[in-house]
């Protein structure tokens, strides 16, 4: 039997604050945050991420954010592009619709985590998924929660992933 | 054929002992696996040695689809039909992903831009390193590069015109960028004369020429501008639709949008960073004194964001905002424990008093150990007027504030966000300023060559009235806080700051150490020429000087004569007959009799 193809899976990590969080977080939050992380999964030479506009894809590093600040190697997957796109489409119709976006509970990192587990069985680093709770555990975060809840992140530069013919 | 028992539930149940059957048979070789589809998660119990095919059959019955549509994924591996579950290492509690393919054939991503190469015509305005190879073909474009980061229009760059594979083009792009950017920036002098827009910019704001002439400052400033613009671009804030009072200003820095406050009835989507820029500019822009204080650096950082002519109306808008905020914050929170005397007079004193009082409450905060984050205390005192709370950390203060404010309605939230926004508004530029200072020590050389901005021409009265401006004291506070912060973070940089400040004409170079508190010129009213303190190594004392003065001018607190009446009487009894001098001395030493006497005994003068 021929060995299955293995496709590398990478996690692109971006700091949305571009360094400001690292400098200002001790003052504002009282604790040190290294960054405000936005992540995306790169597999099959495409970058996939979740924002207020739903699941989007673009060429790697192709959003307005530019190249990632960190690249984490998640592992390898046998899942082919076809299967993966099917999976994404059904995700995008169910769990990861655009309106389901919430900065704290259901954000780009939630999506990346989900997809990483699907593709490789591994989760993404915890410092990324722990970020909302880190922020919310500070008085600043609590105080600003209503405002922060209304923030939606959608890096421009991607195209929506969806079924072309609406089949389910 | 072993029994296969299935149990489905929407919520994952806690793992109970394997094989509790509904149909009766217990057998040890079964595993409970979690089956995940994109929308549901179910638990299946299946025999260890069942084959994948059998499992698929079950699943297809369960999900009501055909066998061929199913794909099972475990730990990134596709499960083939002939495998058994145990072969793949599937144990209790493991998760198997199920993808149900659509009935139609294979799909591929729609990627209209995938094959676009780097030479596509440039309508983008950003100069990201990765994709900037197309930005530099001509001088015309290079102007765009300068102008557009200045303006940061958001219309163009939404198109993803990126290479699919960034690795090799990136190298080329980076090389190109280096060469072209260097050429561009080193020829800025020519650009200045060639392009009228830049001329206008320089005329309007003389500091811009310094910025534009120094390629490194320009580079860094542009980088910062780009970052902030990116953040702005990415973040959207969803609010219920409101009336548009003013059309959204295309120029990004003049954000009319403000965080929730119905008083403005502003538009639908807000932009967080706009307030940062506009607020800061408002703070700094309309007072020559603060301009001097805040220094050319900040102005330089500011300048790229300014287009030559902000409209009057928009500036009016923002000062009103300040006023209203101040007023709304001046309304004492209903909880009396938080209403210090300052707060009460605060409310009654009206707007001009607000910032001065704020300045005073700052003093208490400032004089506490430097561990207290300086600027968060601004926000805190703005909301809570916690006079004596200096020793607690800002966290503690905010805690209390949160409790208190949770009792109130949205207006309080507005206050908090307003305070925080002011905080954030003030911060990035101080951060930017420090950034620039830290990264480019050669700036000091640059500034030394500039003619030092002399304060001598200012008359005493002008100076006093300038200081009475609450924003002026605010600005001075910020500098103090910044210096304090710097002192704690990187004391080694203090000499750099000093030489920078020296070049502005503030005070003689660092060789002097701080002497005993020198009376300021206006302690001796007959002196025409004001003098700054010799050195600001002890920033707290600078503000000590300020506080009584701003208190004097704003009259928001008890008149010093009343306040120090007892001491005044003592002094007079001792033989110090010069009433004004006594008063000044007492103010300067804040009522400390001994120090005041010392002061009065020393010869007054420059």
């Amino acid at each position: 039997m021929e060995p299955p193809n293995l496709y590398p899976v990478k996690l692109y990590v971006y700091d949305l604050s571009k360094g400001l969080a690292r400098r200002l977080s001790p003052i504002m939050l009282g604790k040190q945050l290294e960054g405000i992380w936005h992540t995306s999964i790169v597999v099959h030479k495409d970058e996939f991420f979740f924002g207020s506009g739903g699941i989007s894809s673009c060429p790697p590093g192709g959003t307005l954010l530019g190249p990632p600040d960190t690249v984490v190697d998640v592992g390898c997957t046998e899942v082919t592009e076809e299967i993966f796109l099917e999976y994404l489409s059904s995700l995008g119709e169910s769990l990861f619709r655009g309106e389901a976006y919430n900065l704290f509970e259901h954000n780009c990192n939630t999506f990346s985590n989900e997809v990483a587990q699907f593709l490789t069985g591994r989760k993404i680093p915890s410092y990324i998924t722990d970020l909302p709770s880190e922020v919310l555990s500070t008085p600043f975060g609590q105080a600003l929660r209503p405002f922060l809840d209304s923030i939606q992140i959608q890096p421009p530069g991607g195209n929506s992933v969806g079924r072309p013919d609406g089949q389910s | 054929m072993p029994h296969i028992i299935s149990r489905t539930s929407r919520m994952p149940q806690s793992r109970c002992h394997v094989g509790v059957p509904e149909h009766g048979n217990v057998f040890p070789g079964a595993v409970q696996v979690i089956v995940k589809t994109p929308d549901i998660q179910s638990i299946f119990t299946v025999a260890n040695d069942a084959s994948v095919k059998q499992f698929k059959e079950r699943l297809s019955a369960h999900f009501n689809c055909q066998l061929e549509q199913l794909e099972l994924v475990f730990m990134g591996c596709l499960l083939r039909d002939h495998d058994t579950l145990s072969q793949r290492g599937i144990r209790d509690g493991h998760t198997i992903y199920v993808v149900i393919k659509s009935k139609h054939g294979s799909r591929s991503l729609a990627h209209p831009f995938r094959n676009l190469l780097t030479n596509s015509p440039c309508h983008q305005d950003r100069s990201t390193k990765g994709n900037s190879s197309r930005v530099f073909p001509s001088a015309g474009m290079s102007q765009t590069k300068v102008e557009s980061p200045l303006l940061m229009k958001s219309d163009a760059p939404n198109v993803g015109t990126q290479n699919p594979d960034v690795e090799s083009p990136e190298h080329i792009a980076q090389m190109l960028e280096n060469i072209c950017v260097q050429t561009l920036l080193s020829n800025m002098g020519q650009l200045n004369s060639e392009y009228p827009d830049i001329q206008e910019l320089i005329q309007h704001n003389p500091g811009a020429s310094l910025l534009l002439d120094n390629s490194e400052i320009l580079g860094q400033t542009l980088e910062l501008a780009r970052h902030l613009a990116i953040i702005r671009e990415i973040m959207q804030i969803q609010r219920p639709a409101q009336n548009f009072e003013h059309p959204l200003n295309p120029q990004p820095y003049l954000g009319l949008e403000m965080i929730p406050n119905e008083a403005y009835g502003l538009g639908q989507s807000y932009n967080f960073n706009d307030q940062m820029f506009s607020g800061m500019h408002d703070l700094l822009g309309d007072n020559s004194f603060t301009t001097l204080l805040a220094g050319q650096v900040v102005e330089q950082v500011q300048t790229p964001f300014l287009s030559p002519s902000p409209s009057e109306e928009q500036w009016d808008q923002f000062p009103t905002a300040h006023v209203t905020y101040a007023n709304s914050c001046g309304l004492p929170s209903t909880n009396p424990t938080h209403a210090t005397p300052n707060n009460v007079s605060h409310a009654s004193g009206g707007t001009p008093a607000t910032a001065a009082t704020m300045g005073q409450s700052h003093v208490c905060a400032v004089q506490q150990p430097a561990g207290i984050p300086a600027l968060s205390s601004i926000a805190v005192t703005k909301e809570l007027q916690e006079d004596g709370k200096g020793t607690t950390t800002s966290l503690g203060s905010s805690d209390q504030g949160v409790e208190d404010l949770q009792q109130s309605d949205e207006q309080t939230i507005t206050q908090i966000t307003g305070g925080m926004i002011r905080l954030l508004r003030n911060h990035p530029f101080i951060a930017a300023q420090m950034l620039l200072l830290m990264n480019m020590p050669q700036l000091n050389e640059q500034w030394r060559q500039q003619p030092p901005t002399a304060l001598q021409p200012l008359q005493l009265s002008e100076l006093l009235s300038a200081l009475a401006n609450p924003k002026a004291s605010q600005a001075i506070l910020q500098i103090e806080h910044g210096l304090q912060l710097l002192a704690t973070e990187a004391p080694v940089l203090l000499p750099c700051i000093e030489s920078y400040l020296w070049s502005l004409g503030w005070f003689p170079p660092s060789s002097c150490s701080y002497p005993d508190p020198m009376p300021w010129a206006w302690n001796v009213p007959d002196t025409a020429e004001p003098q700054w303190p010799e050195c600001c190594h002890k920033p707290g004392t600078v503000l000590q000087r300020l506080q009584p003065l701003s208190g004097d001018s704003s009259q928001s607190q008890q008149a010093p004569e009343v306040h120090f009446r007892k001491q005044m009487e003592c002094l007079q009894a001792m033989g110090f007959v010069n009433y004004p001098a006594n008063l000044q001395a007492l103010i300067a030493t804040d009522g400390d009799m001994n120090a005041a006497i010392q002061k009065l005994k020393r010869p007054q003068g420059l």
Side-chain angles (χ1 to χ4, degrees):
Chain A
M1 187 179 87
E2 95 250 2
N5 283 332
L6 281 180
Y7 307 99
V9 179
K10 301 253 188 278
L11 180 78
Y12 276 17
V13 184
Y14 302 84
D15 178 9
L16 284 179
S17 71
K18 299 282 181 186
L20 287 178
R22 193 166 49 82
R23 287 178 180 274
L24 302 182
S25 60
I27 297 173
M28 286 172 43
L29 296 181
K31 57 165 77 163
Q32 177 73 39
L33 289 183
E34 292 303 316
I36 309 290
W37 307 118
H38 165 85
T39 55
S40 56
I41 291 283
V42 174
V43 67
H44 298 296
K45 299 202 176 52
D46 277 315
E47 178 173 351
F48 300 92
F49 57 95
F50 176 61
S52 53
I55 304 178
S56 311
S57 74
C58 65
T63 62
L64 189 61
L65 292 163
D69 295 295
T70 315
V71 177
V72 176
D73 189 7
V74 187
C76 289
T77 189
E78 286 176 15
V79 176
T80 63
E81 185 168 4
E82 178 198 342
I83 302 175
F84 183 57
L85 290 174
E86 289 279 348
Y87 171 73
L88 280 187
S89 306
S90 44
L91 264 192
E93 281 160 13
S94 58
L95 212 50
F96 285 97
R97 289 163 287 115
E99 45 280 8
Y101 185 90
N102 178 280
L103 187 69
F104 287 116
E105 317 276 326
H106 199 68
N107 57 22
C108 52
N109 303 326
T110 320
F111 170 76
S112 300
N113 206 8
E114 190 70 34
V115 172
Q117 287 183 317
F118 168 74
L119 287 176
T120 64
R122 291 199 205 100
K123 298 190 176 185
I124 66 179
S126 60
Y127 69 88
I128 298 171
T129 44
D130 288 343
L131 184 66
S133 57
E134 287 277 321
V135 172
L136 286 179
S137 67
T138 66
F140 178 88
Q142 279 299 324
L144 272 199
R145 176 144 199 193
F147 162 62
L148 292 174
D149 259 338
S150 66
I151 294 182
Q152 315 224 314
I153 308 273
Q154 176 64 34
N159 306 302
S160 228
V161 170
R163 291 184 200 270
D165 47 357
Q167 286 279 334
S168 64
Chain B
M1 187 83 149
H3 257 298
I4 298 181
I5 300 162
S6 81
R7 210 175 358 136
T8 333
S9 57
R10 273 215 168 240
M11 301 290 292
Q13 297 173 359
S14 58
R15 259 199 300 145
C16 44
H17 33 281
V18 169
V20 174
E22 280 153 30
H23 299 307
N25 276 12
V26 185
F27 58 99
V31 286
Q32 266 191 340
V33 289
I34 304 172
V35 171
K36 264 187 128 167
T37 54
D39 34 4
I40 3 168
Q41 189 167 297
S42 327
I43 296 187
F44 279 74
T45 307
V46 72
N48 237 348
D49 49 357
S51 74
V52 170
K53 186 148 202 279
Q54 288 166 339
F55 194 40
K56 275 193 182 176
E57 278 161 9
R58 258 176 78 193
L59 290 173
S60 71
H62 181 80
F63 291 116
N64 219 6
C65 61
Q66 292 170 9
L67 211 60
E68 295 75 34
Q69 287 179 276
L70 282 177
E71 284 289 343
L72 301 186
V73 179
F74 175 68
M75 295 294 285
C77 296
L78 293 170
L79 299 180
R80 312 273 174 210
D81 286 355
H82 54 266
D83 290 335
T84 67
L85 295 181
S86 57
Q87 248 182 357
R88 304 302 316 214
I90 298 176
R91 305 277 175 261
D92 256 348
H94 283 175
T95 306
I96 300 180
Y97 288 87
V98 172
V99 179
I100 303 170
K101 293 190 282 204
S102 61
K103 295 194 170 99
H104 297 260
S106 60
R107 316 163 49 243
S108 65
L109 264 183
H111 248 313
F113 303 108
R114 196 177 221 177
N115 296 323
L116 263 183
L117 293 181
T118 55
N119 294 328
S120 62
C122 15
H123 50 269
Q124 78 298 341
D125 303 36
R126 55 195 168 101
S127 51
T128 345
K129 289 196 166 60
N131 62 352
S132 45
S133 52
R134 64 196 92 115
V135 184
F136 302 105
S138 65
M141 289 316 298
S142 58
Q143 190 207 359
T144 314
K145 179 189 184 319
V146 171
E147 292 280 302
S148 51
L150 300 186
L151 298 179
M152 285 300 177
K153 296 240 179 213
S154 59
D155 39 325
N158 287 334
V159 173
T161 49
Q162 186 73 345
N163 270 334
D165 183 3
V166 269
E167 272 116 77
S168 50
E170 202 173 298
H171 292 314
I172 304 173
Q174 271 178 354
M175 280 181 345
L176 269 176
E177 176 173 299
N178 269 334
I179 298 171
C180 293
V181 170
Q182 292 309 320
T183 325
L184 165 69
L185 294 177
S186 60
N187 290 340
M188 283 305 285
Q190 295 170 9
L191 266 180
N192 284 347
S193 52
E194 281 167 25
Y195 295 104
D197 292 354
I198 297 184
Q199 291 274 6
E200 211 179 310
L201 191 68
I202 293 177
Q203 273 165 21
H204 193 80
N205 211 322
S209 61
L210 181 66
L211 172 65
L212 292 172
D213 283 338
N214 184 326
S215 61
E216 289 186 57
I217 306 179
L218 183 62
Q220 290 236 349
T221 312
L222 292 178
E223 193 69 25
L224 186 70
R226 190 164 59 82
H227 286 162
L228 289 169
I230 288 175
I231 294 174
R232 215 194 63 243
E233 180 96 21
I234 287 169
M235 256 178 37
Q236 299 144 18
I237 296 165
Q238 299 300 332
R239 284 273 300 162
Q242 288 178 352
N243 292 332
F244 276 83
E245 263 191 14
H246 297 267
L248 281 178
N249 191 343
Q251 287 156 352
Y253 69 96
L254 274 182
L256 302 178
E257 304 95 337
M258 293 190 60
I259 295 301
N261 187 332
E262 280 75 5
Y264 304 104
L266 287 176
Q268 222 172 356
S269 69
Y270 296 76
N271 227 309
F272 198 62
N273 286 325
D274 285 350
Q275 300 134 31
M276 289 198 224
F277 298 141
S278 42
M280 192 60 179
H281 187 266
D282 176 55
L283 199 66
L284 292 180
D286 36 7
N287 187 326
S288 57
F289 188 79
T290 60
T291 312
L292 288 173
L293 282 180
Q296 293 160 356
V297 176
V298 180
E299 220 180 28
Q300 284 157 19
V301 173
Q302 284 271 295
T303 312
F305 310 130
L306 304 181
S307 83
S309 43
S311 70
E312 282 304 300
E313 166 194 281
Q314 288 154 351
W315 287 125
D316 287 345
Q317 166 86 14
F318 219 91
T320 325
H322 276 288
V323 169
T324 316
Y325 259 131
N327 278 332
S328 74
C329 295
L331 291 175
S333 51
T334 50
N335 190 336
T337 61
H338 286 281
T340 65
N342 273 345
N343 198 5
V344 171
S345 62
H346 191 161
S348 53
T351 317
T354 304
T357 326
M358 190 172 75
Q360 285 156 26
S361 17
H362 279 300
V363 175
C364 308
V366 163
Q367 287 165 1
Q368 297 305 327
I372 297 196
L375 281 165
S376 56
S377 64
I378 295 182
V380 168
T381 53
K382 198 168 170 60
E383 315 309 330
L384 306 173
Q385 290 297 325
E386 302 198 49
D387 230 5
K389 295 268 178 178
T391 45
T392 64
T393 61
S394 67
L395 287 183
S397 316
S398 328
D399 258 331
Q400 208 152 3
V402 169
E403 284 164 27
D404 176 42
L405 292 160
Q406 267 162 8
Q407 302 164 15
S408 326
D409 55 335
E410 200 192 74
Q411 192 196 18
T412 337
I413 294 186
T414 310
Q415 291 174 17
I416 297 178
T417 54
M420 288 306 171
I421 283 151
R422 280 175 166 266
L423 183 93
L424 291 167
R425 189 165 45 212
N426 296 332
H427 241 103
F429 280 93
I430 301 212
Q433 185 174 359
M434 292 306 167
L435 256 173
L436 287 174
L437 279 173
M438 283 183 232
N439 293 338
M440 295 181 294
Q442 62 265 30
L443 272 179
N444 293 329
E445 304 309 312
Q446 199 92 29
W447 282 316
R448 276 211 199 96
Q449 294 159 21
Q450 299 289 318
T453 4
L455 291 170
Q456 282 76 3
L458 284 178
Q459 293 304 310
L460 175 64
S461 53
E462 271 184 42
L463 202 63
L464 268 177
S465 53
L467 271 176
N469 184 337
K471 291 178 191 157
S473 44
Q474 228 177 5
I476 295 179
L477 267 168
Q478 286 171 21
I479 295 182
E480 287 232 352
H481 295 160
L483 286 167
Q484 246 187 356
L485 206 60
L486 192 65
T488 54
E489 299 272 279
V492 66
L493 283 168
L494 275 175
C496 296
I497 307 293
E498 258 195 65
S499 40
Y500 149 51
L501 288 171
W502 168 78
S503 71
L504 287 179
W506 270 34
F507 49 79
S510 57
S511 50
C512 74
S513 56
Y514 195 96
D516 271 346
M518 284 259 295
W520 276 24
W522 46 83
N523 283 345
V524 183
D526 44 80
T527 312
E529 196 159 42
Q531 270 250 325
W532 291 94
E534 299 258 67
C535 167
C536 62
H537 273 303
K538 293 184 189 164
T541 52
V542 174
L543 204 63
Q544 267 175 346
R545 305 252 161 253
L546 257 190
Q547 175 213 3
L549 293 162
S550 57
D552 264 343
S553 341
S554 64
Q555 307 203 343
S556 63
Q557 65 166 6
Q558 224 177 11
E561 298 94 83
V562 178
H563 194 57
F564 295 126
R565 194 160 32 101
K566 275 214 172 90
Q567 289 99 322
M568 288 297 291
E569 284 168 5
C570 287
L571 284 175
Q572 287 207 312
M574 281 189 227
F576 294 101
V577 296
N578 189 348
Y579 187 87
N582 289 355
L583 192 58
Q584 295 295 348
L586 278 172
I587 293 172
T589 60
D590 201 21
D592 181 2
M593 284 286 296
N594 288 330
I597 292 169
Q598 292 269 341
K599 199 182 291 302
L600 289 167
K601 278 166 65 177
R602 293 170 76 200
Q604 307 260 333
L606 294 172

